[in-house]
């Protein structure tokens, strides 16, 4: 029989929820715990950021941003813990009828390797604010910062069993969480293929499921955009975090009249994306997370070379043989039906597709199985808002790309997942809804 490494953790979370103090801890105290965790993250920010660089390879400046954002996330939900509330309804009976919100129970949370600490924060903070207990499984490729966070959570004084971290491969530890009848809810961030498996595994006890999956996100540049901002934004959209981002602007749609000039301007800036160890000052792009993932990205580059025009990168940078580096890569003159325009590559590979007008841009942008994020660049505000409204995506930006706020809902349309994380929306998935009806009459109902 297959080893069930998470059983102890699941039982601990079950006990802490069913019998333990957490569910009965007041919202004020839950909030205070979350603020304490935020404080501890800030107090250890430097060490956490450096560890995150070693954990997954991203440049230090990006890791520092993630750490600050993780602290913000705990603080946001720390504040929200005391603002959760139900409502009273007028019903056609002599009844006091109202709705209360209660924690869902034991939550299995499976997170990926691209934002290991931040994803742990996104998952843990709303669950704890709601009063749930948790078993969190980081990717086996990047467990280090989640384990450090667990130490800080212990230091914050959370009762035993409330937060449990299980390391190990997805096939084992992750599957167990998705299948276990003792787990009430599963929250997953990662690839669409894995997300589908988890959704199926979770049907055994009809767990509540939220999935934050992949994207092939369009970033649309109109000829009337601020040219310099759009060039910078297009590169950042595609290459931040080595392109290992679910919301990466990996499909760049450029209006034909500026297309050649725009690509030339991007190529002129590419040398500024310095590759190297994330802790080396000035480095803007680190290695990919693993050798296996680099092979996957390189297989897509080989496909791209047959489909479109490689205008930069495509290889391994010289002098960096020790890491899983891939050069920032741009394919130009692509068409929407190509594989590099449709499939998530999840690496530093941008696919440029020229378009002739607004209608065509919207059509190409929406012609995708995914619907996570999208960007639009234009100084015509009417057009900007018109196009954003047409886009079938859950996260959209006008004249910027990538800023993410703990206050705003995060998630996708179509096969980019279901449910929303973050903001007021993100806590809903951790709350049950109960109706309470109190009969105000004293006479029997008189049915029989
Ligand atoms: P996965 O989606 O497979 O991994 C995400 C998490 O799920 C990890 O913790 C992983 O564990 C776990 N997992 C894997 N298989 C199972 C399973 N059967 N049951 C339960 N949990 C499981 O990412 P990959 O590393 O395989 O990457 C594949 C592709 O997914 C990438 O190339 C990219 O396209 C996409 N991706 C998207 C992300 C996003 O943010 N939307 C993040 C990461 C990847 P472990 O790693 O320990 O095996």
């Amino acid at each position: 029989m297959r080893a069930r490494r998470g059983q102890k953790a699941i039982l601990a979370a079950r006990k802490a929820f069913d019998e333990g103090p957490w569910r009965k801890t007041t919202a004020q105290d839950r909030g205070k715990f979350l603020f304490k965790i935020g404080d501890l993250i800030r107090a250890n920010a430097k060490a956490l950021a450096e560890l995150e660089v070693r954990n997954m390879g991203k440049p230090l400046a990006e890791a520092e941003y993630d750490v600050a954002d993780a602290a913000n996330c705990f603080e946001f939900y720390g504040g929200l813990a005391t603002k959760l509330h139900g409502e009273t309804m007028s019903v056609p009976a002599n009844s006091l009828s109202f709705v209360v919100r209660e924690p869902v129970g034991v939550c299995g949370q499976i997170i990926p390797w691209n934002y290991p600490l931040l994803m742990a924060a996104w998952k843990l903070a709303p669950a704890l604010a709601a009063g749930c207990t948790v078993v969190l499984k980081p990717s086996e490729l990047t467990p280090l910062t989640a384990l450090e966070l667990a130490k800080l959570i212990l230091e914050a004084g959370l009762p035993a069993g409330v937060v449990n971290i299980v390391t190990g491969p997805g096939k084992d530890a992750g599957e167990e969480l998705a299948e276990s009848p003792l787990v009430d809810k599963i929250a997953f961030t990662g690839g669409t293929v894995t997300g589908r498996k988890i959704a199926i595994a979770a049907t055994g006890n009809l767990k509540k499921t939220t999935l934050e999956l992949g994207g092939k996100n369009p970033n649309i540049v109109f000829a009337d955009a601020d040219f310099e901002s759009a060039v910078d934004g297009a590169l950042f959209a595609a290459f931040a975090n080595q392109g290992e981002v679910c919301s990466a602007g990996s499909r760049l749609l450029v209006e034909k009249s500026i297309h050649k000039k725009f690509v030339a301007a991007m190529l002129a800036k590419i040398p500024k994306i310095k590759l190297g160890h994330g802790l080396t000052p000035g480095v803007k792009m680190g290695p990919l997370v693993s050798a296996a993932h680099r092979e996957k990205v390189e297989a897509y580059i080989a496909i791209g070379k047959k489909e479109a025009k490689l205008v930069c990168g495509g290889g391994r940078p010289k002098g960096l043989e020790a890491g899983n580096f891939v050069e920032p890569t741009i394919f130009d003159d692509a068409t929407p039906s190509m594989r590099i325009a449709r499939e998530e590559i999840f690496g530093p590979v941008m696919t440029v597709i020229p378009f002739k007008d607004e209608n065509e841009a919207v059509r190409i942008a929406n012609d995708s199985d995914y619907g996570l994020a999208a960007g639009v660049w234009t100084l015509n505000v009417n057009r900007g808002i018109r196009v954003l409204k047409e886009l079938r995506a859950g996260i959209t930006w006008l004249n910027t790309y990538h800023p993410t706020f703990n206050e705003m809902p995060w998630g996708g349309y179509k096969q980019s997942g279901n449910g929303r994380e973050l903001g007021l929306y993100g806590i809903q998935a951790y709350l049950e809804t109960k109706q309470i009806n109190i009969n105000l009459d004293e006479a029997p109902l008189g049915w029989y």
Side-chain angles (χ1 to χ4, degrees), residues 269-393:
K269 273 206 164 189
I270 285 281
K272 292 195 174 175
I273 305 177
K274 184 178 162 196
L275 281 87
H277 192 294
L279 294 177
T280 305
V283 159
K284 299 275 189 200
M285 188 187 283
L288 299 190
V289 72
S290 66
H293 187 57
R294 175 164 71 171
E295 275 172 30
K296 178 189 155 182
V297 171
E298 287 178 335
Y300 270 110
I301 291 174
I303 292 167
K305 283 178 179 166
K306 290 187 197 137
E307 288 183 329
K309 189 162 99 195
L310 178 72
V311 291
C312 91
R316 300 179 178 187
K318 299 221 165 24
L320 290 170
E321 286 75 16
N324 302 310
F325 290 92
V326 170
E327 294 169 319
T329 298
I330 301 181
F331 286 104
D332 194 11
D333 289 330
T335 58
S337 60
M338 291 175 181
R339 285 187 66 189
I340 56 161
R342 306 196 74 76
E343 296 175 25
E344 186 179 47
I345 300 175
F346 221 69
V349 182
M350 177 200 283
T351 301
V352 183
I353 307 172
F355 67 84
K356 75 172 184 303
D357 59 21
E358 189 178 312
N359 282 342
E360 190 180 51
V362 170
R363 192 177 47 72
I364 296 171
N366 286 337
D367 178 17
S368 172
D369 291 339
Y370 296 108
L372 187 60
V376 177
W377 299 81
T378 171
L379 291 178
N380 176 342
V381 68
N382 305 58
R383 160 137 74 189
I385 296 169
R386 194 164 61 229
V387 172
L388 286 181
K389 284 193 70 180
E390 288 298 315
L391 293 174
R392 303 286 296 158

Side-chain angles (χ1 to χ4, degrees), residues 11-344:
L11 288 173
R14 195 70 262 170
K15 189 158 186 276
F17 186 77
D18 293 336
E19 303 163 27
W22 192 240
R23 197 154 47 114
K24 301 206 175 99
T25 302
T26 63
Q28 282 80 1
D29 285 343
R30 291 201 306 271
K32 282 181 197 157
F33 276 122
L34 292 181
F35 279 112
K36 184 95 192 282
I37 297 169
D39 286 347
L40 287 166
I41 291 175
R42 288 190 198 285
N44 291 276
K46 188 169 183 297
L48 282 170
E50 287 177 10
L51 187 65
E52 192 73 310
V53 172
R54 297 186 193 285
N55 199 23
M56 74 75 64
K58 67 177 70 195
L60 183 62
E62 293 190 31
E64 285 170 344
Y65 187 89
D66 292 356
V67 172
D69 214 23
N72 281 334
C73 185
F74 279 101
E75 288 160 358
F76 175 79
Y77 283 108
L80 192 61
T82 52
K83 281 97 196 161
L84 303 173
H85 59 85
E87 55 192 342
T88 314
M89 310 302 291
S90 297
V91 297
N94 195 12
S95 169
L96 175 62
S97 293
F98 54 96
V99 172
V100 293
R101 309 302 305 277
E102 295 178 347
V104 157
V106 173
C107 302
Q109 305 186 318
I110 301 172
I111 57 172
W113 41 258
N114 54 346
Y115 288 88
L117 180 73
L118 190 58
M119 288 301 108
W122 283 23
K123 294 283 183 284
L124 291 172
L128 296 176
C132 296
T133 61
V134 173
V135 181
L136 175 99
K137 196 207 88 66
S139 167
E140 66 170 331
L141 298 172
T142 56
L144 300 181
T145 41
L147 291 173
E148 281 304 302
L149 178 62
K151 286 188 200 158
L152 300 181
I153 289 172
L154 271 182
E155 200 179 325
L158 259 78
V162 175
V163 173
N164 307 272
I165 313 272
V166 178
T167 56
K171 246 341 250 135
D172 174 2
E175 241 175 42
E176 181 178 10
L177 282 178
E179 284 170 0
S180 172
L182 300 178
V183 172
D184 301 301
K185 180 206 155 41
I186 198 94
F188 171 75
T189 298
T192 296
V193 173
T194 308
R196 195 169 284 120
K197 282 188 203 156
I198 287 174
I200 292 167
T203 56
N205 66 333
L206 297 177
K207 282 180 194 61
K208 297 179 171 49
T209 307
T210 43
L211 304 170
E212 203 272 274
L213 308 176
K216 188 74 187 181
N217 310 289
N219 191 17
I220 308 171
V221 180
F222 287 100
D224 57 9
D226 180 284
F227 192 82
E228 278 309 310
S229 304
V231 169
D232 202 57
L235 292 172
F236 184 64
F239 298 132
N241 209 53
Q242 301 79 238
E244 294 168 320
V245 189
C246 51
S247 53
S250 52
R251 268 194 302 156
L252 183 70
L253 277 50
V254 186
E255 190 161 351
K256 274 187 182 145
S257 58
I258 58 160
H259 162 230
K260 291 290 170 216
K261 190 175 150 210
F262 197 87
V263 172
M266 287 199 299
L267 295 183
K269 273 206 164 189
I270 285 281
K272 292 195 174 175
I273 305 177
K274 184 178 162 196
L275 281 87
H277 192 294
L279 294 177
T280 305
V283 159
K284 299 275 189 200
M285 188 187 283
L288 299 190
V289 72
S290 66
H293 187 57
R294 175 164 71 171
E295 275 172 30
K296 178 189 155 182
V297 171
E298 287 178 335
Y300 270 110
I301 291 174
I303 292 167
K305 283 178 179 166
K306 290 187 197 137
E307 288 183 329
K309 189 162 99 195
L310 178 72
V311 291
C312 91
R316 300 179 178 187
K318 299 221 165 24
L320 290 170
E321 286 75 16
N324 302 310
F325 290 92
V326 170
E327 294 169 319
T329 298
I330 301 181
F331 286 104
D332 194 11
D333 289 330
T335 58
S337 60
M338 291 175 181
R339 285 187 66 189
I340 56 161
R342 306 196 74 76
E343 296 175 25
E344 186 179 47

